[in-house]
Amino acid sequence: MIMDFQISNCNNFFKVKGTLNKKSVNLFNNEFNNIFERVNNVTISIQDIISMDKYGVDAISKLHEEALAKNKKLSIIGIGCKELYDHFKTGIAA
């Protein structure tokens, strides 16, 4: 059974839950579209992400790049997802 993708938030703290993939990435992108126009820092918990494909990794990576470009703070917390960890690990090593 594939779990639906859900985003809940309180203030600037967002919990993402389920599978972040090609099918659900639009929901993620819509939720965080222009987020840094409204707030200076965002925390995303990926603790409840079951899996993430390259589209999900790419969406979070783009959000990270936007935070850097706009001098805003993005925190990603939770043990979550190996795919995302590997992406950022290889990015730092390069």
Side-chain angles (χ1 to χ4, degrees):
M1 180 184 123
I2 295 175
M3 184 178 175
D4 288 327
F5 183 71
Q6 299 172 325
I7 301 173
S8 57
N9 73 334
C10 180
N11 297 324
N12 299 346
F13 182 83
F14 293 82
K15 286 174 100 173
V16 290
K17 188 175 188 175
T19 304
L20 181 55
N21 59 16
K22 186 177 184 177
K23 199 172 102 178
S24 62
V25 78
N26 282 341
L27 178 62
F28 181 90
N29 288 335
N30 289 342
E31 181 72 37
F32 293 103
N33 187 33
N34 295 322
I35 188 80
F36 295 114
E37 307 298 321
R38 302 188 300 272
V39 299
N40 288 322
N41 56 39
V42 172
T43 301
I44 300 174
S45 170
I46 59 168
Q47 185 70 40
D48 295 323
I49 290 284
I50 294 167
S51 70
M52 187 181 298
D53 67 6
K54 67 177 187 164
Y55 297 95
V57 171
D58 199 42
I60 291 179
S61 179
K62 284 189 170 117
L63 195 61
H64 175 248
E65 290 166 13
E66 182 185 351
L68 291 174
K70 294 182 176 177
N71 204 22
K72 306 289 180 154
K73 184 178 174 197
L74 173 65
S75 302
I76 300 168
I77 62 170
I79 297 169
C81 184
K82 180 180 179 338
E83 295 86 352
L84 187 64
Y85 174 79
D86 288 346
H87 171 80
F88 281 108
K89 192 172 84 176
T90 53
I92 291 168

